[in-house]
Amino acid sequence: MDFEYFMNEAIEEAKKALNNDEVPIGAVVVLDGKIIGRGHNMVETNNHAFEHAEINAIKEAEDYVGDWRLDGAILFTTLEPCVMCAGAIIHSRIKTLVFGAKDVQRGFAGSILNVVDDGIFNHRVEVVSGIKFQECKELIDNFFNEKRKK
Amino acid sequence: MDFEYFMNEAIEEAKKALNNDEVPIGAVVVLDGKIIGRGHNMVETNNHAFEHAEINAIKEAEDYVGDWRLDGAILFTTLEPCVMCAGAIIHSRIKTLVFGAKDVQRGFAGSILNVVDDGIFNHRVEVVSGIKFQECKELIDNFFNEKRKK
């Protein structure tokens, strides 16, 4: 599997968030080599605190397969998931989580805690990190640097 | 505030889930003494792993106020929130979480961990537990006992 190809697709989603002045995070869900769900951060746009990139991508993938169980699916996301999204990844039975940049302050797939692969739940998620991390990190860092300037 | 009154409303939501053969969990969001969001578990009905009672109640409340920030709101839920819902409660800036029964195996508001009030995040949520816990616990226990019999 070409991890960089799919992470680029997640980055494209993050750029859609950026264009809406949302924190630029994007995600795609891949099953059998095909993207079946895409999502980006839409918290401000839709006024829903839960509309993070990962949940929106998972929702689209679940609608595609007609099942809340995404057995065998791989989630690519530009930033290490927060506590809520880490939970959604477990609940939807994602097989593998691939993320770009770490979120050392709020990440729950290794930074603060690892809830996706620590044995609390029956289901465990494989984790791959650091794919195109520089580009993913710059997207976020530049966004907050610009906000601070204003 | 009459905690039992609002927990009864959350229990009514849980019974709606039960009628749909969903794990019976219900929640309501209260602002200024008024219910502004109601939700029950709809994972199987809508094939979305994230459609837990708490997230559905928060979504309805956010639509009501037209903002993802539910400042000053109180969330009543029949069961201690899971990791995903604990995260959604933090993200939506709920002021107070009131839950009925503990979830000793999966609860993230004190049982496994307390992510809503442990200082990881800028926002902290007050937690009140044990309101009508016997009724809330029996709803869940009876559901799983029936499932095991079949």
Side-chain angles (χ1 to χ4, degrees):
Chain A
M1 165 152 305
D2 186 344
F3 281 4
E4 294 209 356
Y5 171 80
F6 291 111
M7 189 58 81
N8 273 329
E9 293 293 317
I11 289 168
E12 286 307 306
E13 285 297 314
K15 287 177 182 168
K16 290 181 193 170
L18 188 65
N19 287 339
N20 296 331
D21 201 33
E22 300 259 10
V23 181
I25 304 170
V28 296
V29 175
V30 176
L31 185 66
D32 299 331
K34 182 182 166 191
I35 294 175
I36 62 166
R38 312 180 66 100
H40 54 274
N41 181 16
M42 296 184 82
V43 169
E44 303 288 347
T45 307
N46 291 338
N47 273 317
H48 288 149
F50 67 92
E51 287 207 39
H52 285 195
E54 297 92 326
I55 287 188
N56 283 340
I58 286 170
K59 178 174 188 282
E60 197 171 291
E62 289 171 338
D63 289 340
Y64 179 85
V65 299
D67 200 323
W68 57 264
R69 302 165 196 84
L70 296 175
D71 293 325
I74 306 177
L75 179 91
F76 290 79
T77 179
T78 55
L79 188 69
E80 182 181 355
C82 75
V83 60
M84 175 182 73
C85 291
I89 288 164
I90 292 166
H91 289 328
S92 60
R93 310 246 179 109
I94 293 281
K95 179 173 176 266
T96 308
L97 161 67
V98 183
F99 67 82
K102 282 194 183 180
D103 186 350
V104 292
Q105 290 188 307
R106 308 205 310 170
F108 272 73
S111 289
I112 298 292
L113 268 177
N114 184 345
V115 297
V116 296
D117 184 27
D118 70 355
I120 294 174
F121 302 95
N122 291 331
H123 182 65
R124 297 180 88 126
V125 180
E126 301 168 351
V127 179
V128 178
S129 64
I131 308 298
K132 292 187 79 70
F133 77 92
Q134 194 67 39
E135 196 172 335
C136 293
K137 188 175 183 318
E138 276 170 12
L139 261 170
I140 293 277
D141 289 351
N142 291 345
F143 177 80
F144 284 111
N145 287 339
E146 286 297 319
K147 288 279 172 199
R148 268 179 226 113
K149 273 186 212 159
K150 279 170 192 169
Chain B
M1 166 152 306
D2 186 344
F3 281 5
E4 294 210 353
Y5 171 80
F6 291 111
M7 189 58 81
N8 273 330
E9 294 294 315
I11 289 168
E12 286 307 304
E13 285 298 311
K15 288 176 181 169
K16 291 181 193 169
L18 188 65
N19 287 338
N20 297 331
D21 202 33
E22 300 260 11
V23 181
I25 304 170
V28 295
V29 176
V30 177
L31 186 67
D32 300 330
K34 183 184 166 189
I35 294 175
I36 62 166
R38 312 180 66 99
H40 53 275
N41 181 16
M42 296 184 82
V43 168
E44 303 287 348
T45 306
N46 291 339
N47 274 317
H48 289 149
F50 68 92
E51 287 207 39
H52 284 195
E54 297 92 326
I55 287 188
N56 284 340
I58 286 169
K59 178 174 187 282
E60 198 171 291
E62 288 171 338
D63 288 340
Y64 179 85
V65 299
D67 199 323
W68 58 265
R69 301 165 197 86
L70 296 175
D71 293 325
I74 307 177
L75 179 88
F76 289 79
T77 179
T78 55
L79 188 69
E80 182 181 355
C82 74
V83 60
M84 174 182 74
C85 291
I89 288 164
I90 293 165
H91 290 328
S92 60
R93 309 244 180 111
I94 293 281
K95 178 173 175 264
T96 308
L97 161 66
V98 183
F99 67 83
K102 281 193 183 183
D103 187 349
V104 293
Q105 291 188 308
R106 308 206 309 170
F108 271 73
S111 289
I112 298 293
L113 268 177
N114 184 346
V115 297
V116 296
D117 184 28
D118 70 353
I120 295 173
F121 302 95
N122 292 331
H123 181 64
R124 298 180 88 127
V125 179
E126 301 168 349
V127 180
V128 178
S129 64
I131 308 299
K132 291 185 80 70
F133 78 93
Q134 194 67 38
E135 196 171 337
C136 293
K137 187 174 182 320
E138 276 170 13
L139 262 170
I140 294 278
D141 288 352
N142 292 346
F143 177 81
F144 284 111
N145 287 340
E146 286 298 318
K147 287 281 171 200
R148 269 178 225 114
K149 275 187 210 159
K150 279 171 192 168

